Amino acid sequence: KLLCCLVLILVSSVWSDIKILSLPNKEQIGPPPCARTCSGVARWDETGDYRWQQNTNTPYKITDISECNFVITPVVSATIQGESDDCPTIRIWGIWNEKFSVVTEHAARVYNDIQKSECSVVWIATGFICRD
């Protein structure tokens, strides 16, 4: 039984089908074995550089994706999820190999709603972890 489970784990970890058709900034596509999809949740209660912050009345949040090990700028999609319907709409503000940032579509009043509603950023990034 142990051998069967080990073979299944090895096969499932090798078997993947990620095909990246294009990247931002006309970056060169890497070889298929280097493609990676990475996802996570940037929690509402993070501290330091990764907490919700406010810049000229616009709340924003930086999310660390360095553990994905992308070597070129990935494609990132993000949404917001919280304990109530009071979480604001967000949009991607900037993407780099090791982080990305989102801003809200609403003004300063929203900052308190983000904390009260425990609004976290749910994200997925696809890119390359090696080059040719």
Side-chain angles (χ1 to χ4, degrees):
K1 287 183 178 182
L2 181 60
L3 180 59
C4 176
C5 290
L6 181 60
V7 169
L8 183 60
I9 289 169
L10 289 175
V11 169
S12 66
S13 67
V14 173
W15 185 266
S16 66
D17 185 21
I18 300 172
K19 183 168 181 120
I20 300 173
L21 300 178
S22 60
L23 292 170
N25 306 320
K26 299 181 182 178
E27 297 256 16
Q28 181 66 35
I29 300 296
C34 293
R36 171 172 287 171
T37 297
C38 191
S39 63
V41 177
R43 292 184 42 84
W44 68 275
D45 58 353
E46 288 179 317
T47 60
D49 292 340
Y50 303 113
R51 71 189 188 285
W52 277 105
Q53 301 176 62
Q54 193 156 338
N55 182 13
T56 61
N57 295 332
T58 304
Y60 71 95
K61 183 169 179 50
I62 299 170
T63 299
D64 179 14
I65 59 172
S66 61
E67 289 186 47
C68 298
N69 296 315
F70 293 122
V71 295
I72 55 178
T73 306
V75 175
V76 177
S77 295
T79 189
I80 195 166
Q81 182 179 5
E83 294 298 316
S84 72
D85 293 334
D86 291 333
C87 293
T89 302
I90 59 170
R91 66 180 170 84
I92 303 279
W93 187 26
I95 305 172
W96 301 269
N97 296 8
E98 67 286 338
K99 62 186 172 185
F100 72 91
S101 60
V102 297
V103 294
T104 66
E105 292 290 331
H106 299 79
R109 171 190 76 73
V110 174
Y111 186 77
N112 292 331
D113 292 340
I114 289 170
Q115 299 302 317
K116 183 173 60 179
S117 299
E118 300 180 4
C119 302
S120 297
V121 176
V122 179
W123 59 271
I124 186 166
T126 304
F128 290 94
I129 57 170
C130 59
R131 299 178 189 255
D132 279 333

